[in-house]
Amino acid sequence: MIRRFSAILLVACISQAAGVQGFELSFPVDCALDRSCYIQQYVDHDTTAGASDFTCSGLSYDGHKGTDFALITLRQMEDGVNVLSAAQGRLAGLRDGMKDQILSSKNRSDIQGKDCGNGVVITHENGWTTQYCHMKQDSIRVQIGQRVAAGEILGQIGLSGRTEFPHLHLTVRKDQKVIDPFHPKDRINCTTSDQTTLWKDPLDYRAGGLLSAGFSDAVPDYATMKAGTATGPQLTRGSDALVLWVYGFGLRAEDVLRFEIRGPEGRIFAHDATMPKAQAQMMRTAGLKRKQNLWPKGAYQGTVKLIRNGNELENKIVKFKF
């Protein structure tokens, strides 16, 4: 059964000032941050048509009013990842019954006015509320009026509403005004250090990065890669190609992806790919075709480095043997 959210969901203002005394948030997803999940987007602090997160970087989009805790693959969503209450309170709004589906031109009209998809609203003391969006169909296990504790399971991450990837969208409000839990103050100083936050346990800011990487015998399909099955058939010494792929988020224009493949006799491939524009999510591949009868026996290693402004931001290493 589908229930309507309360009117509190319609509020869309960003607070310019709010007290934070006495209110703190626990991590709202049962996952390991930057290992099995990551933060894709933050609250937009740019009051113009542009977008800026609290560090004055681009991990947001125009008008974004929450924090997006994303899963790396659809397979994780299918297996089930719990959404947790970020603070104790009472259920004030709930919607369930919407399909888990990637936003497209075919289903866009079906979610008009229901962008949040399946989700709940919790009211807390002193005018605070939290809203949880894009939850999995029929996964919500709480009821309106029910009191919940911090860390209590509300349901699971899904793909309902206006979304193109499985994630929890968490919006925090104080007196019906949107608050960025990473920077609840009224002035942005463009830094990740010395911040007052609402998080009980401080969360590190990750300025984009590499989510997964692997080898394949051909360029994998992007949808297959996002589903978590990009490796495909087992590589053999007779495979026509050796393709190193990487999946990342929050890349900026001029970022460099540095690919290297090493075989039993040392480096056999190296390539730099420069990003032509910023991308919220992306896949890139590089590799080489087989030039001899069989690939040499032994150990192979693929390394992808993310280079930003001449500095290595992070890397992914994958290995296999023939």
Side-chain angles (χ1 to χ4, degrees):
M1 181 174 68
I2 299 177
R3 302 174 182 171
R4 293 185 178 276
F5 279 103
S6 65
I8 197 169
L9 299 190
L10 302 178
V11 178
C13 299
I14 295 181
S15 173
Q16 295 302 309
V20 297
Q21 296 297 322
F23 187 68
E24 62 182 15
L25 301 171
S26 298
F27 194 67
V29 183
D30 187 13
C31 64
L33 187 61
D34 294 332
R35 292 200 299 274
S36 60
C37 63
Y38 65 102
I39 299 176
Q40 173 72 63
Q41 310 280 6
Y42 296 83
V43 171
D44 178 21
H45 287 269
D46 190 333
T47 57
T48 71
S52 173
D53 62 29
F54 71 97
T55 72
C56 299
S57 299
L59 285 182
S60 189
Y61 60 84
D62 187 29
H64 193 236
K65 300 173 181 66
T67 306
D68 290 346
F69 297 88
L71 302 181
I72 298 173
T73 68
L74 286 169
R75 178 180 289 176
Q76 291 174 277
M77 184 199 82
E78 293 165 355
D79 290 342
V81 177
N82 289 331
V83 173
L84 312 175
S85 177
Q88 68 176 4
R90 185 184 298 275
L91 262 290
L94 181 153
R95 182 193 293 128
D96 202 349
M98 292 183 67
K99 293 180 180 180
D100 292 294
Q101 55 186 351
I102 295 174
L103 178 67
S104 69
S105 58
K106 293 182 179 180
N107 60 40
R108 191 177 300 272
S109 61
D110 296 337
I111 65 170
Q112 189 67 35
K114 302 176 182 177
D115 292 5
C116 181
N118 304 316
V120 301
V121 172
I122 301 176
T123 57
H124 313 280
E125 293 182 351
N126 301 317
W128 290 95
T129 64
T130 50
Q131 177 184 355
Y132 308 74
C133 295
H134 311 307
M135 294 170 69
K136 186 188 292 186
Q137 185 178 22
D138 299 329
S139 75
I140 295 176
R141 60 171 68 182
V142 289
Q143 299 177 346
I144 291 179
Q146 178 180 337
R147 293 200 63 83
V148 295
E152 187 167 340
I153 297 174
L154 304 176
Q156 294 186 339
I157 285 183
L159 198 58
S160 61
R162 187 175 296 274
T163 180
E164 299 179 16
F165 57 96
H167 71 284
L168 168 70
H169 171 102
L170 174 70
T171 295
V172 180
R173 293 183 174 94
K174 166 68 171 172
D175 297 327
Q176 301 188 351
K177 296 179 180 179
V178 172
I179 303 294
D180 184 350
F182 286 87
H183 193 95
K185 296 181 179 179
D186 60 343
R187 186 173 62 181
I188 300 299
N189 59 11
C190 300
T191 178
T192 61
S193 62
D194 300 324
Q195 298 287 347
T196 298
T197 80
L198 297 183
W199 298 109
K200 180 179 179 181
D201 298 312
L203 305 180
D204 291 335
Y205 177 83
R206 187 181 181 192
L210 307 179
L211 299 172
S212 57
F215 278 108
S216 182
D217 59 355
V219 175
D221 178 74
Y222 185 54
T224 301
M225 181 273 307
K226 291 184 71 172
T229 57
T231 302
Q234 181 69 35
L235 286 165
T236 69
R237 294 183 65 203
S239 294
D240 291 334
L242 194 57
V243 177
L244 177 60
W245 59 266
V246 67
Y247 175 40
F249 80 102
L251 270 73
R252 304 176 186 174
E254 304 302 322
D255 279 355
V256 175
L257 292 171
R258 180 159 295 162
F259 293 83
E260 180 185 78
I261 300 176
R262 302 185 72 86
E265 299 175 356
R267 190 170 73 174
I268 58 175
F269 178 82
H271 173 70
D272 282 1
T274 301
M275 297 296 296
K277 63 179 181 179
Q279 287 188 266
Q281 295 180 349
M282 66 85 217
M283 180 186 75
R284 287 291 185 276
T285 63
L288 66 164
K289 293 183 178 180
R290 178 169 51 83
K291 295 182 179 180
Q292 48 194 312
N293 290 333
L294 297 172
W295 294 104
K297 286 185 177 180
Y300 289 76
Q301 175 176 296
T303 304
V304 185
K305 297 179 180 179
L306 173 57
I307 310 296
R308 179 172 293 168
N309 299 323
N311 299 311
E312 181 180 328
L313 196 63
E314 59 183 65
N315 65 70
K316 284 288 184 183
I317 299 176
V318 288
K319 301 178 181 181
F320 74 95
K321 287 183 177 181
F322 282 134

